[in-house]
Amino acid sequence: MISVELALRLRETGLRWRPESGDRFVVLQPELDHEIFTISEMTIEAHHYPTGTVLGFNGTTEWALDSVAEEDALWLPREDQLRDLLGATFRSLARSTMDTYQVVVERGGHFEESFWGDTAAEAYALAVLALVSAAVDRPS
């Protein structure tokens, strides 16, 4: 799992989240930021409205929370979600003998780029961060 700090960097760079069953998140409030929640139709459900998405707590586990606005929740994408976000740019994932992970991506017209992390998810997240940053910084 990636850190809250790395998830914040992804969001601040422009990565958007459409909450779905199985997604993990934290609530950005000091008393809850250490609790990791998982969306499940049984306990936490994403309600999509024209005005925004609300994460509804169905009362079985979190009696103190009725709902949380999406902007108050921070997505902690899983390894498979991060790999999917890389799409066709993804080339490989390798584990080093030093117990670190390397993700290699290749954007059209660029050399391959490597991103290293202590976990595979962290390496994927750093690669996604670079790609999202490059897309945001690209001149129109």
Side-chain angles (χ1 to χ4, degrees):
M1 179 178 347
I2 67 171
S3 67
V4 169
E5 293 77 19
L6 186 50
L8 278 169
R9 288 175 57 199
L10 285 166
R11 183 162 96 173
E12 289 166 359
T13 304
L15 183 63
R16 295 293 164 244
W17 174 38
R18 176 136 172 100
E20 295 180 5
S21 186
D23 287 354
R24 295 178 304 201
F25 67 95
V26 294
V27 177
L28 296 174
Q29 295 178 6
E31 63 275 6
L32 293 173
D33 62 2
H34 63 284
E35 295 286 334
I36 297 171
F37 298 96
T38 302
I39 296 177
S40 167
E41 285 77 19
M42 296 292 291
T43 56
I44 303 171
E45 195 171 1
H47 303 283
H48 304 285
Y49 302 107
T51 56
T53 300
V54 173
L55 302 174
F57 289 75
N58 293 333
T60 57
T61 58
E62 296 304 324
W63 62 268
L65 291 172
D66 289 330
S67 63
V68 173
E70 181 181 1
E71 58 269 11
D72 294 329
L74 177 66
W75 180 33
L76 300 172
R78 298 182 313 266
E79 181 179 328
D80 63 302
Q81 292 171 314
L82 292 162
R83 185 176 48 251
D84 288 347
L85 288 169
L86 292 174
T89 68
F90 175 68
R91 293 295 173 262
S92 65
L93 168 69
R95 184 175 175 188
S96 78
T97 57
M98 302 293 290
D99 261 351
T100 59
Y101 293 81
Q102 176 193 33
V103 167
V104 177
V105 298
E106 182 181 3
R107 293 181 286 142
H110 294 84
F111 292 108
E112 288 183 343
E113 299 175 76
S114 295
F115 300 89
W116 294 87
D118 290 335
T119 65
E122 182 181 328
Y124 280 123
L126 291 170
V128 169
L129 183 64
L131 294 177
V132 171
S133 295
V136 170
D137 293 339
R138 186 177 329 147
S140 303

